[in-house]
Amino acid sequence: MKVIKALIILISPVFVGWIALFLGAYGISPLMVLKILLNETVHIFDIGEIPEKAIILDIRLPRIILAGLVGATLSGAGVTLQGIFRNPLVDPFILGISAGAAFGCAITIGFLSYLPIQFMAFVFAVTAVIIAYTVARTQGEVSRLPLILSGVIVSAFFTAMVSIVKFIVDPHKLQSIVYWLMGSFCLADWKAVRIAGLGVLAGIFPIFLMRWRLNVMSMVEEEAKALGVNISRDRLLFIGFSTLSVAVATSLCGIIGWVGLMVPHLVRMLTGPDHKTLLPLSLTAGASFMIAADTVSRTLTSFDIPVGIITALTGAPFFVYLMKKGGKEAWGK
């Protein structure tokens, strides 16, 4: 039964993405979508230059692929952080990664538009992690609880810094910052897809290759050390790759919360806690969830609802559920 569930999760991005292609303000039949895709890939049909072709190839397809890459990134970072901290309530926001990246993006939009936004997002995301890690080391060896608490403090600090930027920035740029902070894929294009793909390759792919180490790091720290694992080094590597991938994702679509918390839990409950399968399945499930959420955000009304609102509306009740259950079922105990 677990094999069937795993196969369904693995192919789910293709199925959800296919449905998302013909949903939207401009109705396009599934047959026409198929003709357009076949015309572009194997040149079976000659459909000419019709409006539907531009809508599919230049608007919906890059948006769906970008949503999938961002969803996979956030979910992959979430399952990684939950594994290394052995805490079911951790996600990319807990170490201040998203807040630091958001501050970097906000000052770039507001004051430093000549600098690449991805670069500034990564610089401040790394800064946030370094501060959190340094604060956690003030009491000697870094353990889980001090690191998580310092992450919460750093996150609150950078959130306040973003508020200061919003307060002093030019009013014409304020609207852009506020809309961006709510999270949206409305500006998706093929350039953003390429950048997101590079972010996945640089941040998520190394984690995928090292995923078996997450099983060891999920043990009690003394047991992991007894197996010869350098906990501090591996923890820094996983945090570094997670930071890079989340910073790139945040720079492209703003802050989108809860994906890194919800999706790994749902997959863990369906297929078990083994990270060798949990990580790849979380990546595909995160992609499917984000594509579905973005499809809802752009089809529910005549205008785009920021997808961050959709994920928050689903994530908050799920967090309450996890708090009530204490994460026991999710960790297979």
Side-chain angles (χ1 to χ4, degrees), residues 30-305:
L31 181 60
M32 178 57 71
V33 172
L34 182 62
K35 284 182 177 179
I36 293 171
L37 294 179
L38 290 177
N39 177 67
E40 284 299 306
T41 52
V42 293
H43 308 290
I44 291 179
F45 299 100
D46 183 14
I47 58 174
E49 296 300 322
I50 56 176
E52 289 86 348
K53 184 178 177 181
I55 292 172
I56 293 296
L57 298 180
D58 298 333
I59 299 175
R60 291 185 187 172
L61 191 56
R63 180 166 180 159
I64 290 168
I65 294 175
L66 179 63
L69 290 172
V70 170
T73 295
L74 297 177
S75 180
V79 73
T80 301
L81 296 174
Q82 289 170 13
I84 62 177
F85 293 124
R86 299 178 59 245
N87 189 327
L89 302 181
V90 169
D91 77 345
F93 295 88
I94 202 67
L95 292 180
I97 297 173
S98 296
F103 176 66
C105 295
I107 61 172
T108 305
I109 295 172
F111 309 108
L112 306 171
S113 56
Y114 53 88
L115 289 176
I117 192 169
Q118 286 79 29
F119 172 74
M120 295 298 287
F122 178 63
V123 167
F124 282 96
V126 169
T127 303
V129 172
I130 291 175
I131 294 174
Y133 200 81
T134 304
V135 171
R137 284 182 65 89
T138 55
Q139 295 182 349
E141 186 179 359
V142 178
S143 57
R144 288 181 299 148
L145 185 58
L147 188 58
I148 292 171
L149 289 176
S150 61
V152 171
I153 295 169
V154 171
S155 181
F157 172 77
F158 278 105
T159 301
M161 295 296 287
V162 171
S163 298
I164 292 175
V165 172
K166 288 159 55 181
F167 185 73
I168 63 178
V169 76
D170 185 291
H172 296 292
K173 296 180 178 178
L174 176 61
Q175 185 178 3
S176 299
I177 294 176
V178 171
Y179 193 80
W180 173 83
L181 285 172
M182 288 190 288
S184 176
F185 294 104
C186 65
L187 300 178
D189 55 18
W190 287 111
K191 180 183 177 183
V193 170
R194 287 192 289 273
I195 295 172
L198 290 174
V200 169
L201 281 176
I204 295 298
F205 187 63
I207 294 176
F208 179 83
L209 296 178
M210 299 189 298
R211 63 191 185 281
W212 63 273
R213 286 177 176 264
L214 289 172
N215 284 338
V216 181
M217 299 189 70
S218 299
M219 300 177 179
V220 176
E221 197 161 317
E222 288 72 17
E223 294 180 358
K225 287 180 178 177
L227 292 174
V229 175
N230 188 330
I231 294 294
S232 300
R233 182 199 62 192
D234 285 4
R235 185 179 289 162
L236 279 177
L237 284 175
F238 281 117
I239 291 174
F241 288 128
S242 300
T243 301
L244 174 61
S245 60
V246 172
V248 173
T250 304
S251 70
L252 293 170
C253 57
I255 297 178
I256 299 176
W258 302 102
V259 180
L261 178 69
M262 283 190 298
V263 175
H265 273 288
L266 292 172
V267 177
R268 193 179 289 114
M269 285 188 284
L270 288 172
T271 63
D274 185 353
H275 287 87
K276 286 185 289 187
T277 54
L278 176 61
L279 180 64
L281 293 178
S282 294
L283 296 178
T284 55
S288 301
F289 174 79
M290 188 59 76
I291 294 170
D294 181 56
T295 304
V296 171
S297 75
R298 64 183 172 82
T299 57
L300 200 59
T301 63
S302 57
F303 53 88
D304 264 24
I305 300 173

